[in-house]
Amino acid sequence: MSHDKKIMVILSSPSGAGKTTITKKIQQKYPSFKISVSHTTRPPRTNEIDGVDYHFISKMKFKSLINENKFYEYAKIFDNYYGTLKANVDGAILKNDILFDIDWQGTKQLSQFKNLKLIKIYLTTENKGELEKRLISRNQNTIDEVKKRLSSYDEDIKHWNDYDYVLINKNLEVCFKQIEKIISNYKTFSTSQIIQ
Ligand code: 5GP
């Protein structure tokens, strides 16, 4: 893989579709990728580390960053704010490829910055029932949270058209191979040569 052309990959998905595992696999295989660490007002989960999983900040601090126009994008999701700081991206892209784990709202906003060369991938399960099964079996969310996350599945579907690729994660290895292919195509050809 050539390292001279830096790319930005957005990986959106409903939680439970396998995004975290795929993200880790991309980073392990391609050390050139840096994961964009978002700011959020959501409280950390027990296994999460400030500055690694997210920058955890107060709603007041988040709002002041909005007013200072510091975000490339931000969104309110499940009662909390999430956003990508311009300074973090602008610094990282000089040396690294960047992987964004953001939702469709953020994807729409980032797409407006024509200077950013984005590959937009939506990762999902075969259907809503499969997602429900995964959310319940991983046992990380309360029944109410599972319901909320499932209801956002219906909203998310409406925005699949905003993505360059929609991948069904039926088999993790197959799905990862598809992502590798997409990445290596962009690394090999200039984006203007790619027919979408
Ligand atoms: P979670 O609370 O499960 O970590 O994330 C909830 C949702 O927020 C996920 O769909 C994730 O992709 C999205 N998200 C995380 N960071 C950002 C961000 O910086 N901007 C936007 N727009 N969405 C984000």
Side-chain angles (χ1 to χ4, degrees):
M1 198 164 173
S2 143
H3 286 254
D4 48 14
K5 215 181 298 155
K6 304 290 175 248
I7 56 173
M8 297 189 180
V9 176
I10 297 179
L11 195 56
S12 298
S13 86
S15 42
K19 182 174 49 185
T20 311
T21 316
I22 295 267
T23 303
K24 283 189 185 139
K25 276 174 85 72
I26 294 175
Q27 227 194 2
Q28 275 162 10
K29 178 118 193 213
Y30 304 108
S32 64
F33 269 98
K34 198 172 148 65
I35 296 176
S36 165
V37 181
S38 300
H39 281 63
T40 185
T41 61
R42 166 169 83 57
R45 298 184 184 125
T46 44
N47 57 340
E48 287 179 329
I49 301 169
D50 188 28
V52 176
D53 298 287
Y54 283 103
H55 299 285
F56 296 98
I57 59 172
S58 66
K59 279 204 168 115
M60 212 164 94
K61 175 71 185 162
F62 201 101
K63 284 189 176 153
S64 80
L65 290 169
I66 295 174
N67 292 336
E68 291 162 28
N69 197 23
K70 299 279 190 196
F71 288 111
Y72 265 128
E73 63 77 32
Y74 68 90
K76 195 174 180 201
I77 307 164
F78 309 130
D79 303 327
N80 280 298
Y81 289 91
Y82 297 79
T84 307
L85 271 199
K86 288 178 183 171
N88 290 357
V89 174
D90 293 345
I93 197 62
L94 299 174
K95 298 192 299 275
N96 291 95
D97 299 307
I98 306 181
L99 190 59
F100 297 93
D101 168 354
I102 62 175
D103 79 332
W104 63 267
Q105 304 175 74
T107 303
K108 250 192 169 59
Q109 293 168 50
L110 270 190
S111 301
Q112 283 161 10
F113 292 92
K114 299 297 174 203
N115 57 321
L116 305 181
K117 292 267 169 287
L118 297 170
I119 306 171
K120 296 174 274 184
I121 303 175
Y122 195 89
L123 183 70
T124 188
T125 49
E126 299 157 73
N127 54 47
K128 202 171 161 182
E130 179 59 29
L131 184 69
E132 184 173 17
K133 250 183 16 208
R134 290 194 201 185
L135 282 173
I136 291 170
S137 72
R138 76 176 189 179
N139 206 17
Q140 263 182 17
N141 305 99
T142 63
I143 295 289
D144 266 1
E145 281 169 343
V146 169
K147 275 193 191 145
K148 248 191 216 173
R149 279 157 201 265
L150 281 175
S151 69
S152 73
Y153 182 93
D154 299 325
E155 179 60 31
D156 285 2
I157 287 179
K158 299 180 197 155
H159 304 281
W160 287 0
N161 275 346
D162 295 336
Y163 288 81
D164 301 313
Y165 304 91
V166 176
L167 303 182
I168 312 288
N169 184 8
K170 222 170 160 179
N171 172 299
L172 196 79
E173 286 310 317
V174 173
C175 188
F176 182 60
K177 283 221 155 50
Q178 288 171 326
I179 292 178
E180 280 195 284
K181 201 163 175 199
I182 293 168
I183 292 172
S184 67
N185 276 346
Y186 275 82
K187 283 286 189 184
T188 312
F189 304 107
S190 79
T191 44
S192 60
Q193 286 173 290
I194 293 173
I195 302 159
Q196 290 174 20

